[in-house]
Amino acid sequence: MDEHRSLSDTVNGDAQHDDGAAVRRRTRILRRAAALNAAHAADELGPGTGAQSVHRALSLLHVVGLLAQEAPEGVGLAEIAQVVNRPKPSIHRMLSALVDLGYVERVPASSGYRLGIQSQVLGGLAQASADPVVVAARESLRRIARLTGDTAHLTLRAGSYAICALREDGLDAGASDALMVGDRHPLGFGAGSLAIMAGLADDEIETVLQSNAGVPATRYPRMSDAVVRELVEDARAKGAATNPGLLARGSWAVGIVIAEPRTAPRAALSVATSQSRLSGPRRVRVIELLREEAGRIERGLSRG
């Protein structure tokens, strides 16, 4: 996408209404993009890096976990190899090693792959030392989802990327499925991620954009540095970040940063739903609710 294409050009050039099936198709593609980012994280280290094989194994584990969210019977080798963009024999060898260690299991009925018992144990151990903001945000996400009927997320910064750490679905049938737990996107892509970026200094924002140079054009054609900068300015001016359907058309979101004590912005709450449900007075109420819950989390962290 042209670096100079503005946010208004991007939004106004798209259809404003999408049927539910189309949105779901696009969000599945979006989750594949998250898996693709995870798969190629090791490539950023460059050839010859001693830790590259470890990164590739962990990235492959992440990809299996992400893809298996939609395939309880397991993900096929061909699909994994396609996402990772590596030869099937190479991926098969790495998967076999992960199976031997118990981090991945192969489902006999389908010959597909999914996370194994050792990954589940590791996840349980991680819960025992969970990030304080994750612990503090769980009840807030439940309230947000219950009161709005939409989908609530907690997003955490991880370097130049952001990861969906928690998700809570409301009862509305049109709840967004654009962002799933474990999805990883460049910082500034998505409402929660953007809310975090808007709290950073300008020079740090430019460092993040440079770190992710080339990613938007190849994997996020509706995004560019110019669009991110414009979204940041809009978030700063309005006190809330908005993703106007730029990652998955038809899926809009608003986000509010969580101000943790003694740390730079790294966490945010967001609500994702349709454009019509994020307009007018309802948008104002949703943002007020996000601010209220962010404040609740902040007070809890301060006491802790």
Side-chain angles (χ1 to χ4, degrees):
M1 188 171 76
D2 189 343
E3 164 66 19
H4 300 292
R5 188 183 183 192
S6 69
L7 174 60
S8 58
D9 292 336
T10 302
V11 174
N12 292 337
D14 296 315
Q16 295 300 311
H17 300 285
D18 291 288
D19 62 79
V23 171
R24 286 191 291 274
R25 282 196 299 273
R26 279 190 289 271
T27 53
R28 284 196 292 271
I29 293 170
L30 181 64
R31 288 200 291 277
R32 292 302 190 278
L36 189 67
N37 290 336
H40 291 283
D43 294 340
E44 299 166 5
L45 298 173
T49 304
Q52 192 177 64
S53 60
V54 175
H55 278 250
R56 282 182 175 164
L58 292 175
S59 296
L60 182 60
L61 187 65
H62 189 184
V63 168
V64 171
L66 285 172
L67 295 181
Q69 289 180 103
E70 299 175 0
E73 74 286 356
V75 186
L77 174 62
E79 182 177 3
I80 296 171
Q82 182 181 26
V83 169
V84 176
N85 194 27
R86 295 190 184 283
K88 284 198 288 187
S90 173
I91 297 303
H92 184 264
R93 286 194 298 271
M94 197 173 297
L95 285 170
S96 295
L98 291 171
V99 168
D100 289 341
L101 292 170
Y103 287 99
V104 169
E105 68 177 14
R106 193 167 187 181
V107 183
S110 66
S111 296
Y113 296 89
R114 64 188 179 193
L115 294 183
I117 187 64
Q118 193 61 46
S119 291
Q120 297 170 41
V121 170
L122 191 62
L125 293 172
Q127 287 296 323
S129 56
D131 190 309
V133 74
V134 175
V135 175
R138 290 187 185 277
E139 188 56 37
S140 285
L141 282 189
R142 294 188 186 105
R143 265 192 301 273
I144 293 168
R146 184 176 70 250
L147 293 172
T148 64
D150 297 317
T151 305
H153 300 97
L154 172 71
T155 298
L156 295 180
R157 181 184 179 185
S160 62
Y161 279 75
I163 296 174
C164 177
L166 292 175
R167 168 193 168 103
E168 192 73 27
D169 291 327
L171 296 177
D172 191 284
S176 170
D177 64 349
L179 188 63
M180 307 297 287
V181 172
D183 283 358
R184 173 182 181 268
H185 297 289
L187 195 63
F189 289 30
S193 179
L194 182 66
I196 295 170
M197 180 176 258
L200 304 178
D202 289 344
D203 58 347
E204 188 170 3
I205 289 174
E206 292 305 315
T207 298
V208 169
L209 292 175
Q210 290 172 18
S211 296
N212 293 331
V215 174
T218 57
R219 301 173 198 168
Y220 302 88
R222 291 158 56 81
M223 297 296 294
S224 70
D225 289 357
V227 167
V228 172
R229 292 188 188 101
E230 190 170 347
L231 288 168
V232 164
E233 291 305 314
D234 182 73
R236 288 172 171 174
K238 296 178 179 176
T242 301
N243 167 31
L246 294 178
L247 296 189
R249 293 185 183 93
S251 179
W252 285 50
V254 290
I256 293 291
V257 72
I258 298 170
E260 298 179 76
R262 300 176 298 280
T263 185
R266 71 174 191 102
L269 298 174
S270 63
V271 164
T273 184
S274 64
Q275 179 185 359
S276 62
R277 291 173 63 84
L278 277 181
S279 59
R282 190 176 192 279
R283 181 180 187 277
V284 173
R285 291 196 297 272
V286 169
I287 291 174
E288 288 175 349
L289 177 60
L290 287 172
R291 286 201 181 103
E292 179 181 335
E293 293 300 333
R296 193 189 303 267
I297 294 169
E298 291 161 7
R299 290 190 294 274
L301 294 171
S302 296
R303 287 192 298 268

